Structure formats: C-alpha cells, structure tokens
Amino acid sequence: MLGRQRITIRGRVQGVGCRPFVYRLAAEGVLAGMVYNNTQGVTIEVQGQPAAIERFIRDLQDRSRRDYPALLDIFSIAVESLDVMEGQQGFHIVQSDAAGQTITQVTPDCATCPACLRELKEPSDFRYRYPFINCTHCGPRYSIVKTIPYDRPNTTMASFGMCGRCKSQYTDVRDRRFHAQPTGCPVCGPKIWLTDSAGSAIETDSDKTIVRCAEVLRAGGIAAVKGIGGFHLAVDALNESAVRELRKRKHRDAKPFALMAASVETVSRYAVVNDMNERLLKSPQAPIVLLDKKEPNGIAPSAAFGTHRFGFMLCYAPLHHLLFAQPGMEVLVMTSANLSDEPLICKNEQALEELGGIADVFLMHNRDIYRQVDDSVIHEVNGQAAFLRRARGYVPSPIYRSQAACGDIFAAGPDLKNTFCFVKGDQYLVSEHIGDLADGRVYRHYIRSVEHLRQLFRVQPEIAVCDLHPAYLSTHFAEQMSGVELIRVQHHWAHIASVLADCNEFGPVIGLVADGTGYGTDGAIWGCECLISTLTGFERFGHLAYYPLAGGDRAAKEAIRPLVGLLCPSGDFDALYEHGRLLSAIDPDADKIRLICSQIKQGINTVPTSSMGRLFDAVAALLGAGAKNRFEAELPMALEAMLENGVNQAYPIELHQADGAQIFPFEPVIKGVIRDIENAENGRIIAARFHNTICEGLLELAKKARLVRRLNDVALSGGVFCNRYLANRLIERLKQEQFRVLWKQSVPVNDGGICFGQAAIAAEMINKNRIG
C-alpha cells in the first residue's frame, strides 16, 4: 500500500545543496515525487512505501550522515498526508515557486570549502586557479541576492550565462554544483584585473593580476582588494612603514587593523590560538577572531597598538587564497575599505573615486556586490564565542524564538553600532552591522538597508519600536513610518530584553547593564544599571551614583570632562587644586578645565550621568593610557590591556540607598586610584584593582537585588562587557555566589544587540494584547 506526504522544511535550506540531498534520499528509498524551493523554504512531496517515507524523514534530519550538506540547517519540519497520485514515477526537482508569504532564509556568504580549495589547486581541473570557484557548500549568497527565491536570475550572477561544462554540473543532481547559483569558470564567469589609482588597467590576465598585486604588497604598497562583501585595503602586516603609510592615507590614527593569514599555523606564530579559536577561524563563517598577542611578535607595531590582542581571520574567498599563495604573503592587514566609519565600499567606480588617494593598485572584479557586508568580529567569553560585530557569515540567518509574534515588527535599533531587526512570525531578522547613524552616508545606507530587507523578506510591519531618546535618528526614522503603531523602549531595558530573547526566557531577571550612554526615564544619561526586568516591563533597582558630564558629544571623546565631573561634582574649580598635577598631565589647558567647571556649576550643556564607560575613560586617563578616545572605547581598551593578571585586590565600596534605589558610589573608586598613583603603585596593578572593584560593585548590586526580590537569574549586557577581563571575572564571581548567569550568544553584548531586545519587547506586547 502506497502513501504520499508533503514535507515542508524551514531554516537555512536554500542554496545549500538541500534539493540534491533530498533527491538522493528519495532515490535511496525508491520514492516518487518532487522537491522545490518556495517562499516558505523547501517543499517535498514523496510517494512510496510508508516505511520508506518514515526512513526518508529521519534521514532528512540526520546530520551524522556523511553526505549531509554542511550548510543545511533545518529549523522545523511540517508533514501532511496527501492523496496518492496513481502512476507517478521518478523523483524530480522542479522550478521554484515565488508565490506566498516569505518566511524562508537567505543563506549568509560562506568561506571557500575544502573541496573547492582542492580543485583550485589542481592543475587538471578546469577551474584551476579560478578566483570565483564555489559550490553549494560555499561562496557568496547574501551579498549577491536581490530577491528570493534564491535562484540565479535573482542574483548579480544573472548576467553571466553558463558555458556547457558549467551548465552540465549545474543541472546534474549528482554534482556538488547542482543549482549552485554563482557557478562559473574562466570561460563564462566573472573575471579579475588590476588597475592603478586612476583606473587604468595594469594587468587583465587572471594569474598575472595576482602576481602583480603581490609584488606591490611585497614592495610596501597599498592594494584595494575587492572581495565578497566589499573592498579591503591591504598592506604587508610585517612592514611597519607600509602600515604607517596606510594609517596616514586612511586618516585612521589608532584603531587596530584586522589581519589575514592563510592558515592557523601562521596565525599561531603571532597570537595564542586555543581549540575554540581554531574552530572559529576555520568555520564556514570565517570571522575575525580576537586573539591574545604573543610577545615578541613580528607584526608591525602600528597594526594594533594600545591593545593586547590581534584581530585575525583566515582567507575566505578564492581570491584571497590565490594572493596568499604568492611568495612573501605571510600576514596582510585587511581593513575595511572606507573612510572613517562610513559604509563599506563595494562598487568599482566608487572605490576608484574615494580610494584613489589611498590605494596604489586596485584588484577589481566584475561580479557585482548587491549588499556590502563587513567582516564579523568574535572573541571568547566564559569559554564561549561572543559577538562583537555580527555581519558576514552570519547575516541574514534569523534568530528563532519559541513563540511567534502576532504581527510583523520593525525595530529601529540604536544610533551607535546600529543594527535593526524585522520580526516575521518566530523569525527575528537582525541586520548586519550598519554603523554610526550620525554620519550622513551611514544614515542613508541605513534607510536603503531597511527597505532592502523589508522587500527581501516581504515584511509589512504593523509595529515599529525605537529608543526612548528623542534625538536619535533611528527614533526619527521610526516616527516617520506610516501605518504603524509606535512603541518607545528605554535603552538599557532593551539590552536586558535582548538577553532574555536570546535565551528564550521571559523573566523576571536581575539585569546588570554597563555601557557609555542611554537615555533614562528621568532625562539623565544612564550607563551602569541594575534593573529588575521582564519582556513587558522593568524597574530601576540600582545604579552608579550620578556625576555631572559637561560638553555633550565631546564628553565621550575627551577624558578630562568626565574626570572633572567625578572629582568635583559641584563644579568648584578651586576644589581641584590638590589634583592639579594629575589633571595637567591629561590636559594642560587650565582655562578649559575652568570652563568645564563653570558648565557644571551653571548646568550649561551638562547632564547627570551614571555612565560606566566614561568612568573607564577617566581612570584610563589618570593612569596615563591617553587623554582622548580617537575611536570608540580606545581608552577602556587600553586600560584593559595594561592590567596585571593575578591581582585580586579591590578598593572597598559600600552600596547605599537614595531615592528608592541602591547606589554604587564612585568616590571610593576614584579616591583609591588616585591614592595608589600618589603612592607610586604600579599602574598595571592599579588597573587590575579598578576592574576588580567594578566587578565587586556590580556583584553587590546583584546580591542586594536577590535579597530583596528573591531572584537568582542575572542577565549581563552593555558595551563595557566587551571588556573580556571584566566579563569573565564578573561571570565567575556571580557563579561563585550561586547565581545563574544569562549571556548572549546570537547578537553582540554591545549596542549591536539592542534592536533584538526592542523587537522582543514589542512582540511580547502585541501578543499580550491580542492573545491575552
């Protein structure tokens, strides 16, 4: 007796070799039917003996199979019985169905797989040394797709007609390139060439282009290299003068550069690589991984000064592998090709126009990049991978939650480190890293990106959710959306909500948030908070004591501003006399310090704040780590880099209550640091004591909240927890005190995860209103 069933699978199922795999399983079970892509994911209809159908469904989910596609990730399977179709024979892969509500995934761009690398190096293969070799297990996806379903006509490969050999592989269900949409070869696919800074061709032959580019790099030149998600600026990372020249031309004085190498063995010569780091480096996502430096090392000091870590990634595009196969290509700086913090450049003409004064040569290609995507950045916290930036390799894979939202939602995100989020059912579609919306180009990129993802996934938001800050550009954008209900969410609540959402929990939890800035419900700038939080509300249980912060945006750059507020909250200039030597070492301009005091005293351009980030700036400046943040969090990074490991002492602190909240006082911290400086204590030890004190203060807030509220779960979030020492130590201390610690795995701990929390709050609210 025959049976027939329709199986709908959702998840990362398109463009990853799913349909050929299904075809092979059907052939094994002698099943008839068909498989096709649609907007739901992949739909399969199988007909045959019931036992064979049951085995087929089991095998479809068996990741232990040797032939299981590496990138296939099934989130859900729905099965329904159908009437048997009499006389049907054979199993077929049929044309995609683009109708219906879109809930399928678009697969992220993936690093070149081992099979393609073998062919790249095999002289007898017709794709030998071809810079765009790929298959269903690797290559570009998100960066080239315009709409779904993910079929070649809907990508930037549509203009490249396949030759006979490529076509035969593309249409052969037994081949690794069956329906691999970017398939091409030297005859029919994209090509590379080398130009000078004016755009004049230097070399058009593929192999010679690679050779000439490597020659320029070996000679200390700068190359703009077009990759998968955009252009990189490359120089020899072992050549100090070349790295300095790149900094000079790019106007990037201090921010560490990303590095690229061909193998983990090479990386291990310069940095400490543990098993987890190696897995991340070698993964299909191929992120930048932050690794502790080995000292001494041969990397140019200018590549990453002021920090004790390198950001390494391995080659992830065939073009990278070919370049690194050239003599002398040991380690390259591979930094995003943009000016300052503007969007990544991905178009050839724009690259020549804007990078012509930076790069000596341009390694171009003619496969258009539809979506520019930055490299992802990851480090290790508490023995687990933690995002600092979620982008290439991970976006736009959705984050699934256990309960579907009753309507489509748009979450606008923050203004710094912006990402945004769409919610469609149980899928949370968090965008790639967008950047700082205060930059006009970034804001325009944000607007385009929102519309692109909305169209790509066919989202029609009923709810828009934004930050409470009235001056945020992301808030203004959400306010201008028509036909939506607007929800405003406090910044730090969104931080904790993102942890709850990532852990698929509702709360209540004790939320510890430490960052630089967030608009509070009282109009102050919050930044070190202990919240009692759920997805439907929060209470401010405690915070760092307020201090005055003068100077607006300049206060986030100039450490003297928060330091004056911390030393003299009254704004009395004469009260700073005893600290004159310390202050003049940071900023010798006494008139400026007097003006800051005057601003504080009169309340001009001054706000009360509980910012932990600015406290880190002030202490870093006191310890001689610098006076300004030339890029975000430069001073806190330098403070972490200088601390002495193995120090357990902390400055004594004691919480007190004021206005119904537990207050973490800053005065004992500042006084302890200054006392140690005056006693000529080692700066590395002072830095460690400071970190330990912050840890203990946050722990005391959690303990007090547990005592009062009978809660034992603690969620951590905020950009200050990008500090690996602080995060690891606080997690360890919380566990020692028998707390259950919640930590994000799917989105960054910094503001890059805010939109996820905003979206989760909105989803809970809409569900509560509609379901009850």
Side-chain angles (χ1 to χ4, degrees):
M1 181 178 177
L2 297 178
R4 186 178 184 89
Q5 291 187 331
R6 178 184 292 129
I7 304 158
T8 301
I9 58 174
R10 297 173 54 217
R12 191 166 64 208
V13 295
Q14 293 190 10
V16 294
C18 178
R19 289 176 297 171
F21 177 59
V22 167
Y23 180 95
R24 293 194 297 272
L25 292 182
E28 288 178 13
V30 195
L31 297 171
M34 59 183 174
V35 59
Y36 56 93
N37 286 342
N38 60 18
T39 54
Q40 303 289 302
V42 170
T43 295
I44 309 159
E45 291 187 15
V46 286
Q47 181 169 300
Q49 294 298 323
I53 294 176
E54 289 181 13
R55 184 167 59 251
F56 173 89
I57 295 173
R58 285 198 306 271
D59 288 345
L60 190 59
Q61 303 170 79
D62 183 6
R63 298 190 66 89
S64 66
R65 285 181 60 107
R66 297 182 67 179
D67 62 342
Y68 201 89
L71 301 178
L72 177 60
D73 187 10
I74 297 173
F75 174 72
S76 67
I77 294 183
V79 181
E80 59 179 311
S81 296
L82 302 174
D83 292 334
V84 171
M85 293 181 62
E86 298 295 338
Q88 185 177 34
Q89 295 183 347
F91 192 88
H92 306 281
I93 296 176
V94 300
Q95 186 175 355
S96 298
D97 178 9
Q101 185 186 35
T102 302
I103 57 173
T104 190
Q105 282 198 36
V106 174
T107 305
D109 304 302
C110 295
T112 311
C113 72
C116 282
L117 281 179
R118 285 193 296 271
E119 293 171 349
L120 185 72
K121 300 171 184 177
E122 175 51 59
S124 64
D125 193 281
F126 74 98
R127 291 191 184 88
Y128 173 58
R129 296 184 57 77
Y130 181 54
F132 303 95
I133 192 169
N134 67 85
C135 68
T136 54
H137 304 315
C138 67
R141 300 287 195 281
Y142 178 55
S143 60
I144 65 170
V145 67
K146 297 178 179 180
T147 187
I148 59 171
Y150 175 67
D151 290 326
R152 194 176 180 106
N154 295 332
T155 73
T156 59
M157 286 295 294
S159 60
F160 295 94
M162 281 182 276
C163 67
R165 284 202 285 188
C166 287
K167 188 73 170 179
S168 67
Q169 292 181 329
Y170 182 85
T171 55
D172 183 354
V173 71
R174 297 162 299 181
D175 196 279
R176 201 176 78 252
R177 291 188 174 85
F178 177 75
H179 283 202
Q181 307 306 338
T183 294
C185 73
V187 172
C188 64
K191 302 186 186 319
I192 62 170
W193 65 93
L194 195 71
T195 78
D196 61 18
S197 59
S200 299
I202 297 173
E203 188 57 71
T204 58
D205 176 80
S206 183
D207 284 345
K208 291 179 181 178
T209 291
I210 299 291
V211 170
R212 288 291 298 275
C213 185
E215 288 173 352
V216 170
L217 291 168
R218 280 197 300 272
I222 301 170
V225 180
K226 187 177 181 181
I228 288 180
F231 279 85
H232 285 103
L233 288 169
V235 295
D236 180 358
L238 307 183
N239 185 330
E240 172 66 7
S241 63
V243 177
R244 283 186 177 275
E245 184 63 23
L246 176 58
R247 286 202 177 277
K248 177 182 174 182
R249 295 188 196 178
K250 199 184 178 191
H251 305 294
R252 183 167 168 174
D253 295 334
K255 193 173 183 180
F257 285 138
L259 305 174
M260 179 179 280
S263 68
V264 170
E265 291 71 27
T266 299
V267 175
S268 297
R269 288 200 280 272
Y270 305 98
V272 179
V273 182
N274 62 26
D275 290 343
M276 172 177 285
N277 302 150
E278 182 171 351
R279 287 194 300 273
L280 286 168
L281 288 166
K282 290 181 173 180
S283 70
Q285 292 78 21
I288 296 169
V289 182
L290 299 192
L291 305 168
D292 289 339
K293 294 178 179 178
K294 286 185 175 178
E295 297 291 357
N297 64 73
I299 300 295
S302 295
F305 51 74
T307 177
H308 56 306
R309 297 190 180 101
F310 289 130
F312 263 106
M313 58 183 159
L314 296 185
C315 303
Y316 59 82
L319 185 61
H320 300 150
H321 288 280
L322 292 172
L323 191 56
F324 273 85
Q326 293 298 304
M329 296 293 98
E330 173 87 356
V331 180
L332 294 178
V333 164
M334 289 290 259
T335 186
S336 299
N338 54 3
L339 300 176
S340 185
D341 292 318
E342 292 180 356
L344 184 64
I345 293 171
C346 65
K347 298 185 183 300
N348 294 350
E349 299 79 9
Q350 183 189 6
L352 288 168
E353 180 180 344
E354 299 192 16
L355 304 176
I358 300 176
D360 299 306
V361 293
F362 289 74
L363 206 173
M364 302 281 208
H365 65 71
N366 61 344
R367 184 179 67 200
D368 288 343
I369 297 169
Y370 196 76
R371 284 293 304 168
Q372 63 258 64
V373 190
D374 275 305
D375 298 311
S376 294
V377 183
I378 290 178
H379 67 164
E380 183 182 340
V381 172
N382 192 36
Q384 297 177 311
F387 281 107
L388 294 170
R389 183 169 71 202
R390 183 177 181 267
R392 178 189 52 76
Y394 299 93
V395 173
S397 290
I399 302 165
Y400 289 94
R401 298 203 61 230
S402 57
Q403 184 176 10
C406 292
D408 290 1
I409 297 167
F410 167 69
D415 270 21
L416 289 172
K417 292 192 181 328
N418 177 268
T419 61
F420 59 87
C421 178
F422 284 110
V423 181
K424 195 173 183 68
D426 59 354
Q427 297 189 61
Y428 286 65
L429 302 156
V430 178
S431 77
E432 67 271 28
H433 169 79
I434 301 296
D436 180 0
L437 299 189
D439 184 285
R441 288 194 181 189
V442 175
Y443 184 63
R444 289 190 291 274
H445 175 53
Y446 170 77
I447 294 172
R448 291 191 300 269
S449 299
V450 169
E451 184 58 18
H452 173 64
L453 258 71
R454 189 194 67 77
Q455 292 184 2
L456 186 62
F457 294 100
R458 300 174 192 173
V459 184
Q460 297 296 333
E462 303 173 30
I463 303 289
V465 55
C466 65
D467 195 272
L468 195 63
H469 200 303
Y472 267 10
L473 291 168
S474 54
T475 298
H476 292 169
F477 180 83
E479 289 172 340
Q480 292 165 11
M481 295 178 69
S482 59
V484 299
E485 177 186 346
L486 185 64
I487 298 173
R488 302 175 193 273
V489 172
Q490 200 279 327
H491 186 89
H492 299 93
W493 180 27
H495 260 300
I496 297 305
S498 69
V499 185
L500 289 171
D502 195 49
C503 297
N504 247 321
E505 300 204 8
F506 175 82
V509 295
I510 301 164
L512 297 178
V513 191
D515 63 1
T517 181
Y519 190 76
T521 55
D522 59 356
I525 299 302
W526 295 4
C528 176
E529 311 302 315
C530 178
L531 308 180
I532 308 300
S533 178
T534 69
L535 290 178
T536 54
F538 78 96
E539 174 193 348
R540 194 185 195 196
F541 182 83
H543 59 88
L544 184 71
Y546 281 153
Y547 58 94
L549 190 62
D553 290 343
R554 283 181 296 176
K557 296 183 181 298
E558 302 173 7
I560 193 68
R561 294 179 179 276
L563 180 57
V564 168
L566 288 160
L567 289 173
C568 185
S570 67
D572 184 357
F573 178 75
D574 293 336
L576 294 175
Y577 178 79
E578 63 178 308
H579 305 302
R581 182 179 58 83
L582 286 173
L583 293 175
S584 63
I586 297 167
D587 195 321
D589 188 346
D591 289 339
K592 177 179 177 179
I593 295 173
R594 189 184 298 274
L595 179 60
I596 294 170
C597 286
S598 177
Q599 286 181 301
I600 291 172
K601 197 167 191 175
Q602 299 178 59
I604 299 172
N605 198 23
T606 299
V607 293
T609 186
S610 57
S611 172
M612 181 62 76
R614 302 293 75 80
L615 177 58
F616 267 76
D617 289 347
V619 172
L622 283 170
L623 293 179
K628 292 185 178 180
N629 283 310
R630 289 171 292 180
F631 60 91
E632 187 185 8
E634 179 184 5
L635 293 177
M637 285 172 59
L639 186 62
E640 181 190 8
M642 70 184 297
L643 68 81
E644 181 78 36
N645 286 307
V647 175
N648 290 311
Q649 302 100 330
Y651 302 115
I653 57 163
E654 186 173 337
L655 303 182
H656 64 269
Q657 190 163 355
D659 298 323
Q662 293 293 319
I663 305 300
F664 177 173
F666 59 78
E667 292 93 341
V669 183
I670 293 295
K671 287 180 179 178
V673 168
I674 291 176
R675 183 173 58 250
D676 277 352
I677 292 172
E678 291 174 343
N679 291 336
E681 180 62 270
N682 186 302
R684 293 172 60 84
I685 292 175
I686 302 174
R689 288 174 179 168
F690 168 74
H691 278 81
N692 296 345
T693 305
I694 299 306
C695 176
E696 293 304 309
L698 293 170
L699 177 64
E700 286 302 311
L701 284 171
K703 289 166 69 174
K704 184 68 74 171
R706 176 167 63 183
L707 181 67
V708 174
R709 294 305 169 85
R710 299 292 188 265
L711 299 173
N712 201 57
D713 293 347
V714 178
L716 304 180
S717 192
V720 170
F721 290 121
C722 292
N723 182 314
R724 197 169 74 177
Y725 177 89
L726 181 66
N728 280 328
R729 188 177 182 89
L730 181 56
I731 290 170
E732 180 184 8
R733 291 290 289 118
L734 286 165
K735 288 181 176 179
Q736 287 173 354
E737 295 291 337
Q738 305 305 308
F739 283 100
R740 175 174 173 253
V741 182
L742 304 182
W743 178 266
K744 285 181 279 192
Q745 298 294 301
S746 303
V747 293
V749 72
N750 57 35
D751 280 9
I754 285 282
C755 68
F756 186 35
Q758 292 175 339
I761 289 169
E764 196 64 38
M765 287 184 174
I766 190 174
N767 286 358
K768 187 176 182 180
N769 290 336
R770 295 186 183 180
I771 298 174

